[in-house]
């Protein structure tokens, strides 16, 4: 569970069934288990009006567990980018009463939240639960490039190659943490690189 | 001085009867300057000097926020109420010097919304007069559904229909027209915010249906001016100011404190804003909580009271004020 450090650092909750007619779940990897856990407390018939969109990740686990929930629609996607058009379409056609549940890595939650915010859902009315890897999506404040799945501190920008301090400062608009050059004075100074977001 | 209730010296510039129950009042600043800007949904507290009694009633500003040469309010006459609206109808005439508070907005538009769905009942139309003017001025997307008892009591219905055409839907009780609420709520695009102002029953009905149909609480806004309810007189001791006072039948606890020279904070005087919250030091008796601010747990605990609307029955009550 990600700890709260500074004000822009997102905090996540535990999914719980909300009243409403339509329920849209977006999850990746271990996030599937958050949905399965929530299903235990859901009222009968809850998944009759639900759609689950799932990105299983490399090991392809948890697909069967989600299928077993018998949601009205179930959709598996290889990457977030590949499900983006579908997600946008669903939200554009949706009406008030649709509830959104996001579970899994911070990168997934943040990016799905970004699309939902644009569609008009307030971030406080989304259900979120962080599960699995603590890997971060990071924006380099120098070249603005986004590096996915950052697990170390400091981390190298995949675009400009600068060594960056991964800050807790989070942009909801970009769905990314900010990375700031750690050795701007002297590039030869390389602090130890540790795995801190496993 | 009460928080947020800095005063404005105004003069009544016009009094216009609107229909058999409603009269509109216009105020300008005595010094001829512009009034402070406000946003749609704001109210002012109007001070009424009624003999040796001062009444303070909140009324929504209904003019356009784009025009601050004057403030306008509409007052519905309540023949069985505590007398504030009757005073306005009977004793307030053009030229009268009055004092009103700075505007306070407890019912503001959420401008991040993609669409604003407004539901008004009766005199609950007044905040929407300003809100629709504000949105129309900025190209905002809104839709107003307005229920009234009869066409002649549809205060400003004609004005609104002329201004906004099909964006305004009217429902008349005497013709058995009712808002098809579930259908209306379920057909709104994502990103819609809901605003409701009207009788308590209507507000409760709309909030309850919206919650059941999956509207997040953050998207549902309501304005609830419960007038203080009369009740049995009771005595109260104010620990900090060291006074013991009597709250009359027709008086609110807040009014009794003010009359005794204590100046507690307030904003809404209707039990919704939380400003007047007061700690209970000790009590022997039972509270009649009429507010919408404290949680049920707070109500049961006997540790807090909202003096603007709540009352007490029993042997003794000591408040920290
Ligand atoms: S003044 Fe607003 S709750 Fe009492």
């Amino acid at each position: 569970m990600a700890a709260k450090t500074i004000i822009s650092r997102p905090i996540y909750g535990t999914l719980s069934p909300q009243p409403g007619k339509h329920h849209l779940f977006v999850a990746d990897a271990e996030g599937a288990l958050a949905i399965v856990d929530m299903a235990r407390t859901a009222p009968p018939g809850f998944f009759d009006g639900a759609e689950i969109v799932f990105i299983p990740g490399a090991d392809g686990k948890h697909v069967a567990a989600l299928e077993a929930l018998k949601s009205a629609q179930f959709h598996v996607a290889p990457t977030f980018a590949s499900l983006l058009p579908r997600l946008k379409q669903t939200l554009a056609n949706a009406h008030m009463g649709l509830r959104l549940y996001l579970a899994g890595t911070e990168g997934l939650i943040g990016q799905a939240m970004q699309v939902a915010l644009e569609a008009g859902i307030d971030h406080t009315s989304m259900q979120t639960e962080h599960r699995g890897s603590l890997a971060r999506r990071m924006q380099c404040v120098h070249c603005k490039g986004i590096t996915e799945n950052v697990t170390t501190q400091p981390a190298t920008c995949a675009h400009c190659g600068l060594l960056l301090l991964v800050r807790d400062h989070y942009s909801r608009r970009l769905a990314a943490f900010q990375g700031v050059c750690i050795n701007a004075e002297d590039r030869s100074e390389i602090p130890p690189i540790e795995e801190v977001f496993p | 001085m009460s928080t947020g209730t800095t005063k404005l010296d105004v003069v009544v510039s016009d009094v216009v009867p609107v229909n058999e129950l409603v009269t509109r009042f216009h105020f300008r600043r005595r010094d001829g300057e512009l009034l402070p800007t406000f946003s749609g949904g704001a109210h002012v507290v109007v001070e009424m000097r009624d003999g040796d009694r001062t009444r303070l009633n909140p009324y929504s500003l209904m003019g356009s926020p784009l025009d601050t040469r004057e403030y306008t309010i509409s007052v519905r006459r309540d023949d069985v109420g505590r007398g504030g609206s009757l005073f306005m109808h009977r004793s307030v005439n053009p030229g009268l010097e009055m004092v009103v508070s700075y505007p306070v907005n407890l019912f503001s538009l959420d401008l991040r919304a993609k669409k604003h769905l407004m539901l008004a009942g009766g005199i609950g139309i007044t905040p929407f007069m300003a809100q629709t003017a504000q949105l129309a001025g900025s190209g905002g997307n809104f839709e107003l559904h307005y229920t009234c008892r009869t066409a002649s009591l549809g205060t400003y219905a004609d004005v609104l229909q002329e201004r906004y055409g099909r964006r305004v839907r009217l429902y008349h009780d005497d013709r058995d027209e009712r808002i098809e609420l579930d259908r209306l709520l379920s057909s709104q695009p994502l990103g819609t915010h809901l605003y409701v102002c009207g009788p308590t029953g209507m507000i409760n009905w709309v909030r309850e249906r919206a919650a059941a149909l999956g509207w997040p609480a953050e998207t549902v806004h309501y304005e609830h001016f419960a007038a203080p309810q009369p009740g049995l007189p009771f005595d109260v001791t104010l620990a900090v100011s060291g006074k013991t006072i009597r709250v009359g039948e027709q008086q609110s606890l807040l009014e009794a404190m003010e009359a005794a020279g204590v100046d507690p904070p307030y904003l809404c005087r209707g039990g919704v804003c939380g400003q007047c919250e007061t700690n209970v030091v000790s009590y022997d008796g039972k509270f009649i909580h009429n507010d919408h601010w404290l949680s049920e747990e707070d109500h049961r605990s006997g540790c807090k009271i909202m003096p603007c609307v709540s009352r007490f029955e029993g042997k003794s009550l000591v408040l920290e004020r």
Side-chain angles (χ1 to χ4, degrees), chain B residues 68-85:
Chain B
T68 53
R69 279 171 306 175
E70 58 179 18
Y71 284 168
T72 45
I73 61 168
S74 289
V75 180
R76 182 190 189 281
R77 199 184 71 227
D78 182 355
D79 295 322
V80 294
R82 300 178 328 129
S85 69

Side-chain angles (χ1 to χ4, degrees), chain B residues 254 265-277 293 306-308:
Chain B
L254 179 66
Y266 66 84
L267 285 179
C268 70
R269 304 181 81 87
V272 293
C273 74
Q275 198 58 234
C276 67
E277 186 176 307
W293 172 258
M306 308 306 287
C308 65

Side-chain angles (χ1 to χ4, degrees), chain A residues 79-93 115:
Chain A
T79 61
F80 185 78
S82 68
L83 70 78
L84 193 57
R86 180 194 173 88
L87 183 59
K88 283 192 172 162
Q89 182 72 26
T90 305
L91 293 174
N93 294 331
V115 179

Side-chain angles (χ1 to χ4, degrees), chain B residues 281-293:
Chain B
V281 176
S282 68
Y283 72 102
D284 178 3
K286 103 175 192 279
F287 292 99
I288 303 162
H289 290 292
N290 294 318
D291 66 277
H292 298 267
W293 172 258

